[in-house]
Amino acid sequence: MRANAYHASVSEELEEHCPAPEQCDAPFDFKETGYGGFDMTENDATQDPPAPAIDTEFWGTGDRLYRNFHKGLNARPCDEHGVFLPPRSPPTLLSNKSPDDWTPYQNHVEFETAEYFFSQNQTPAAQINKLLDLWALTLKKHNNQPPFANVRDLYKHILQ
């Protein structure tokens, strides 16, 4: 029930800014359920969740120590094609970017704005839109715009 209440509040908040979702160019469908692939409405609470895909490795004197590894998420280093690197190999070097490259953002202000709204403050969508509208009003006389048009524009940059 709680997931549905959350889903309903997110849907209402988005509909407030986009009454016709097919016209809003959304990067993803908020009405889809799939919170981590678990839908509270379709699963019986009496059923156990599926067993995790875990590998166990024993090591040390007498194999008394062990480590558990998720079969797909084991943090083994790999190259850009997903091929695992040999054990103890150094990580691949990152490409040299210029200090003013804020990709996928256009500039430092866009990055800091997204970081603040999404990570630091965890601002609700309606409040983000209100702040961006106010920001746009202050910049209008200078023939300028805020870093994002609205919350959907912000989310598109974050999801790139």
Side-chain angles (χ1 to χ4, degrees), residues 110-128:
E110 276 192 6
F111 170 78
E112 291 294 338
T113 303
E115 172 75 11
Y116 177 76
F117 281 148
F118 195 75
S119 298
Q120 294 176 4
N121 197 39
Q122 298 180 5
T123 312
Q127 292 178 14
I128 292 172

Side-chain angles (χ1 to χ4, degrees), residues 63-124:
D63 284 341
R64 292 178 43 193
L65 303 173
Y66 69 94
R67 292 182 268 205
N68 290 330
F69 295 94
H70 186 284
K71 290 181 180 179
L73 304 174
N74 56 21
R76 285 181 55 198
C78 60
D79 65 14
E80 66 273 10
H81 304 291
V83 177
F84 291 118
L85 299 174
R88 294 176 180 58
S89 62
T92 55
L93 298 175
L94 297 175
S95 62
N96 291 332
K97 291 185 176 181
S98 74
D100 61 346
D101 182 2
W102 293 96
T103 306
Y105 304 96
Q106 291 183 15
N107 55 46
H108 189 194
V109 172
E110 276 192 6
F111 170 78
E112 291 294 338
T113 303
E115 172 75 11
Y116 177 76
F117 281 148
F118 195 75
S119 298
Q120 294 176 4
N121 197 39
Q122 298 180 5
T123 312

